[in-house]
Amino acid sequence: MTVIPFILRGVSLLGVNSSASPRAIRAAVWSRLAADLKPRHLDRIITREIALAELPAAFDAYLKGNVVGRTLVHIGDAAA
């Protein structure tokens, strides 16, 4: 997938390329991202929460431009 559409919309793509790191380091990094490195304003910008299983059904609204704000996708046992 290309990042050009995100850049044109001014979206920040944040993440960790952790596939080449040892599992212990990945776990530590992801734990920090969920704790002290978590953006402080995240609760204010999330306008919608869905479970991972609901994601395919949500794509149509995105393609039609009907989604405003940020959507939090719950992955795994933390489902909404």
Side-chain angles (χ1 to χ4, degrees):
M1 176 169 92
T2 179
V3 297
I4 297 294
F6 296 104
I7 293 169
L8 293 174
R9 290 181 179 89
V11 174
S12 296
L13 299 175
L14 306 174
V16 175
N17 181 5
S18 62
S19 62
S21 299
R23 184 170 179 81
I25 292 174
R26 288 194 313 254
V29 168
W30 285 108
S31 291
R32 287 204 56 205
L33 285 171
D36 62 306
L37 296 177
K38 181 179 176 181
R40 290 185 198 107
H41 67 290
L42 197 57
D43 294 340
R44 293 193 310 265
I45 64 171
I46 296 172
T47 57
R48 178 178 173 201
E49 296 185 29
I50 61 174
L52 184 61
E54 298 174 82
L55 193 54
F59 290 144
D60 191 47
Y62 282 95
L63 293 173
K64 291 179 180 176
N66 295 333
V67 178
V68 176
R70 305 292 188 266
T71 301
L72 174 65
V73 180
H74 291 279
I75 299 173
D77 294 334

